[in-house]
Amino acid sequence: MSSSPVSLPVPAQPYGRPPLRTVQVLGGAGAGSCAHVRSLATGLAARGVRVTVCAPVAAEGEYDFTGAGAQFTPDAVSALRAACAGADVVHAHGLRAGMRAALALRGGGRRVPLVVTWHGGAPEPAGALGRLSRLLERRVARAAAVVLGASSDQVDLARRRGARDARLAAPAVPVATAGEPAAEAGKTRAELGAVERPLVIAVGSLVARRGYALLLDAARAWRVLDPLPLLVIAGEGPLRSELARRIEAEGLPVRLLGRRRDADRLLAAADVAVLPSRWEGRSLLAQEALRAGVALVATEVGGVPELVGDAAVLVPYGDPGALAGAVAGLLHDPDRRAALALAGRAQAATWPSEDETVAQVLSVYDELMERHRP
């Protein structure tokens, strides 16, 4: 959502030792993993590490990894193999990226350690898809020298899947600038059509695990409220047409905004943020909402409780009545929203900074280099 460089002095390399060479592998253009890799690339490059980011071209266009001090290469199989062949450490972000990196490293002349950060995931699907998912998790977990989980439940899952070394390493995201002035927030609300009515926002790709079908159920319940809240959803994905048909057919007070580069500006103008997901690890929306002082209603799933503590209203997944009631309650209680804003900023202050995250990851790389040093 937001971007902020890590500013660190460039240290001299140890005498006689070449710079550490890392490859950061992305399997897609997800906002959380891309923001984390951009932050890592900035911090590692500032510490004298040579960083190559292997990712979809669309991710480079949006996150500018080269501007962070990294070399960029598209995620074609041949390019990934070539990049990994010259690396000291390969760090994949997500299961798909982990599998691709493990295959790229197979058969190489040198033993290059693989680190995998598990950013996402979900409760296991049933049937053949579930078996395939578990197989992928096992192969990635066992191929990695170290698995870094974004939340404690991911660390536990990696261990169950056979990881030799699984650790908690919560990715930090860039800190947004201070919230926009009231006049700017008012302008944003006017642009969205939320003048003199509450504004509720959700941000994330339009896929099943985000829980948007349940969110539309909740929005249907809000139609009895006066003034009528407006729900805006910033994101794009395969469910757009289905959601749009429901919004039109049921006359729901909802706008689909598509993919936005100014989601932080939208968030700063909102009264309540909502995270209705079936599963989340370390939600980017939750982090930005708490930092911005925006009251958050979220489902009590995955790593969300660990992330937000008491600074958000948590509801069970799959209960649109509880979701609708929690949002409506906050919209009618400005004092409660103000208290959550204070609690959110206090909770955010307990999260690791970008510098601390970079230092933790670099310490893992150094440890692996010592293990593999001749």
Side-chain angles (χ1 to χ4, degrees):
M1 289 186 187
S2 53
S3 177
S4 167
V6 179
S7 207
L8 294 166
V10 179
Q13 293 296 324
Y15 180 77
R17 185 180 298 178
L20 181 68
R21 301 165 298 175
T22 75
V23 175
Q24 306 290 322
V25 184
L26 279 162
S33 55
C34 284
H36 176 52
V37 169
R38 216 272 183 190
S39 175
L40 274 184
T42 306
L44 291 171
R47 286 171 161 87
V49 177
R50 291 182 180 173
V51 182
T52 298
V53 175
C54 187
V57 173
E60 165 64 9
E62 182 162 357
Y63 290 91
D64 187 22
F65 301 115
T66 53
Q71 178 180 345
F72 174 78
T73 185
D75 61 345
V77 173
S78 58
L80 176 59
R81 283 188 178 277
C84 291
D88 297 308
V89 177
V90 174
H91 188 165
H93 299 266
L95 287 174
R96 179 171 174 268
M99 192 71 253
R100 295 183 74 240
L103 292 172
L105 289 169
R106 185 177 294 175
R110 298 183 304 117
R111 289 185 60 198
V112 179
L114 173 64
V115 178
V116 179
T117 293
W118 285 20
H119 289 274
E124 295 175 6
L129 188 59
R131 291 191 292 272
L132 181 62
S133 176
R134 290 189 291 275
L135 177 63
L136 176 62
E137 290 168 350
R138 283 195 296 270
R139 288 191 173 178
V140 172
R142 294 170 182 177
V146 177
V147 174
L148 301 177
S151 59
S152 295
D153 63 319
Q154 290 172 312
V155 174
D156 293 339
L157 177 60
R159 288 171 178 160
R160 291 198 302 272
R161 295 292 184 258
R164 291 168 284 169
D165 187 342
R167 312 178 191 184
L168 180 63
V173 296
V175 178
T177 55
E180 55 182 7
E184 288 300 313
K187 181 180 177 182
T188 301
R189 293 173 71 98
E191 291 171 356
L192 295 171
V195 176
E196 298 183 354
R197 64 188 295 196
L199 179 62
V200 180
I201 186 170
V203 180
S205 54
L206 306 184
V207 295
R209 80 169 179 86
R210 296 290 184 186
Y212 289 136
L214 290 168
L215 184 55
L216 294 193
D217 291 340
R220 186 169 54 202
W222 298 334
R223 291 183 300 186
V224 302
L225 300 180
D226 184 20
L228 178 65
L230 174 65
L231 168 65
V232 296
I233 302 175
E236 196 52 84
L239 292 184
R240 182 183 179 88
S241 296
E242 178 182 329
L243 296 174
R245 284 194 297 269
R246 268 199 68 184
I247 291 166
E248 182 176 1
E250 299 176 27
L252 301 178
V254 181
R255 286 188 60 189
L256 301 178
L257 302 181
R259 188 171 178 85
R260 298 285 294 248
R261 292 178 178 269
D262 62 344
D264 53 345
R265 182 174 70 92
L266 302 177
L267 184 62
D271 297 294
V272 174
V274 62
L275 183 69
S277 303
R278 179 165 59 96
W279 191 92
E280 290 283 345
R282 193 170 179 83
S283 164
L284 187 59
L285 172 63
Q287 292 180 72
E288 296 224 351
L290 266 59
R291 279 183 171 148
V294 178
L296 174 68
V297 175
T299 44
E300 193 172 3
V301 297
V304 174
E306 177 182 39
L307 176 66
V308 303
D310 296 325
V313 177
L314 299 180
V315 298
Y317 172 76
D319 189 340
L323 185 64
V327 172
L330 285 178
L331 292 177
H332 286 94
D333 191 345
D335 290 340
R336 174 66 173 147
R337 295 202 305 272
L340 284 174
L342 291 175
R345 291 190 174 105
Q347 178 71 7
T350 69
W351 299 334
S353 67
E354 288 183 88
D355 285 359
E356 290 167 338
T357 296
V358 171
Q360 181 185 14
V361 169
L362 187 55
S363 72
V364 172
Y365 295 169
D366 287 340
E367 179 183 329
L368 290 173
M369 288 297 92
E370 288 300 321
R371 287 189 204 170
H372 290 79
R373 200 174 303 284

